[in-house]
């Protein structure tokens, strides 16, 4: 029982803490036969691989993996299996003790004792297949590689683990569809030997995973070339386009931008993953601490020379896509700026026309106001004349003609002043 109070924990604390122990290497001893299979899987196939593993374990009355298990290693009768679930693939590693332990004998195949019917139904698509023979002895063992097990003309080798062991391979798919690698355990202890085996298997796994980006990069090259030519034509057309051509050019440019972004989205994840896998290959090669054996090429030297073109092609495709996307964006901004400037010029011309019309309306309004003063004065003076005529018949001494003559300037002035006052009030209320 803990003497300290229980503090509230983050939901992922235990899982994140145990991540440091995920997929740990296991202790190994020579001689050992290993077969490593990597199956590229989608989400459904990754889940199916868990059930496929459970089928094998169920037949041997062994504990089954739960839904959260992503790696498992367990003895299954005559062989040992290591199953790992990754983001894009599933690895199956089978190992067994060979029937003989001679340092110069050809390694056995671990798959010889795996149920072939079950093995043939592994979910996914085969990406990597490698037989690894772990034999006692070091680089000075004669012969270092059993006869006819590797092709001498393509063989590469490295002294690894600071000279304690040696690794040999030819990077060739043999008649059974598997590559082959030989590891001389030398003076390596069981735990260090296990780490070396895991790193060598990861080099082969990540090498193939990194190369998945190469077809995508090559496929993108044709589409990028066509898009670049289209963009160059659009840029030239924009330079000499008339105003009525801009809508069509903008439509073409929008379609091109959509095509470029669609291509970028389709290949970005694959090319980014390849870049990450290439870095993992570099790291694992550095981890095995290799040195040269005689005149043979080292593993890292061979892989760097052979993978560099593919690596550069993937990186070049990524840079080319990003550069093309930026160029399309710049041309789009240029065309939109041109359209906006022309729209502003059109708006300015429209405002000038509206101002001119407003001035004409004001002048016409002033004219109408003058006519209104005359008309209103005429009617009011007419009323005054009728009043004067009525007053004369009632005994007034003022003649209607005199009253009308006197009223005209007074009425005109009053009407004019009233209209001006109304005009100023309306203008004042319309101002912000």
């Amino acid at each position: 029982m803990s003497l300290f109070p229980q503090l509230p924990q983050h939901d992922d604390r235990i899982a994140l803490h145990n991540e440091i122990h995920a997929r740990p290497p296991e202790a190994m001893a020579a001689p050992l036969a290993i077969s490593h299979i990597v199956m590229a899987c989608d989400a459904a196939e990754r889940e199916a691989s868990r059930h496929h593993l459970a089928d094998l374990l169920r037949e041997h009355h062994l504990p089954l993996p739960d839904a959260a298990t992503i790696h498992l290693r367990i003895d299954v009768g005559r062989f040992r299996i290591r199953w790992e679930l990754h983001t894009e693939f599933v690895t199956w590693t089978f190992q067994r003790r060979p029937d003989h332990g001679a340092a110069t004998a050809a390694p056995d195949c671990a798959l010889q004792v795996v149920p072939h019917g079950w093995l043939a139904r592994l979910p996914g698509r085969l990406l990597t297949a490698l037989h690894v023979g772990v034999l006692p002895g070091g680089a000075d063992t004669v012969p270092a590689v059993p006869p006819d097990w590797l092709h001498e003309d393509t063989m590469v080798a490295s002294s690894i683990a600071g000279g304690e062991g040696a690794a040999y391979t030819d990077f060739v798919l043999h008649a059974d569809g598997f590559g082959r690698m030989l590891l001389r355990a030398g003076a390596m202890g069981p735990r260090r030997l296990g780490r070396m085996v895991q790193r060598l298997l990861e080099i082969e796994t990540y090498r193939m995973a990194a190369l998945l980006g190469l077809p995508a990069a090559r496929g993108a090259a044709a589409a990028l070339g066509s898009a670049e030519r289209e963009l160059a034509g659009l840029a030239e057309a924009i330079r000499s386009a008339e105003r009525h051509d801009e809508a069509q050019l903008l439509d073409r440019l929008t379609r091109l931008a959509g095509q470029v972004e669609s291509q970028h989205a389709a290949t970005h994840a694959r090319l980014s993953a390849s870049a990450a896998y290439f870095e993992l290959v570099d790291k694992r090669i550095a981890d095995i601490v290799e040195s040269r054996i005689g005149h043979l090429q080292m593993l890292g030297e061979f892989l760097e020379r052979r993978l560099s073109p593919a690596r550069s092609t993937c990186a070049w495709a990524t840079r080319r896509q990003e550069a093309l996307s930026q160029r399309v964006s710049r041309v789009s901004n240029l065309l939109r700026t041109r359209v906006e400037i022309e729209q502003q010029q059109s708006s300015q011309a429209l405002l000038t026309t509206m101002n001119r019309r407003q001035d004409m309306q004001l002048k016409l309004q002033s004219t109408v106001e003058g006519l209104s003063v005359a008309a209103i004065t005429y009617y009011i003076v007419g009323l005054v004349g009728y009043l004067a005529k009525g007053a004369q018949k009632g005994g007034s001494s003022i003649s209607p003609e005199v009253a009308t003559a006197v009223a005209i300037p007074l009425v005109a002035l009053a009407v004019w002043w009233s209209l001006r006052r109304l005009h100023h009030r309306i203008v004042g209320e319309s101002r912000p």
Side-chain angles (χ1 to χ4, degrees), residues 119-142:
L119 186 64
R121 297 191 302 273
L122 288 181
R125 298 156 306 284
L126 181 62
L127 179 63
T128 299
L130 179 68
H131 293 312
V132 180
V134 182
L135 297 179
D140 55 351
T141 303
V142 179

Side-chain angles (χ1 to χ4, degrees), residues 77-95:
R78 298 174 58 192
F79 62 94
R80 184 173 178 81
I81 185 171
R82 181 186 178 104
W83 171 83
E84 295 183 1
L85 194 66
H86 296 259
T87 304
E88 295 185 285
F89 51 82
V90 177
T91 63
W92 305 82
T93 306
F94 307 91
Q95 64 182 62

Side-chain angles (χ1 to χ4, degrees), residues 149-160:
W149 207 70
L150 297 177
H151 294 172
E152 292 186 6
D153 54 343
T154 58
M155 185 165 54
V156 297
S158 294
S159 175
I160 61 174

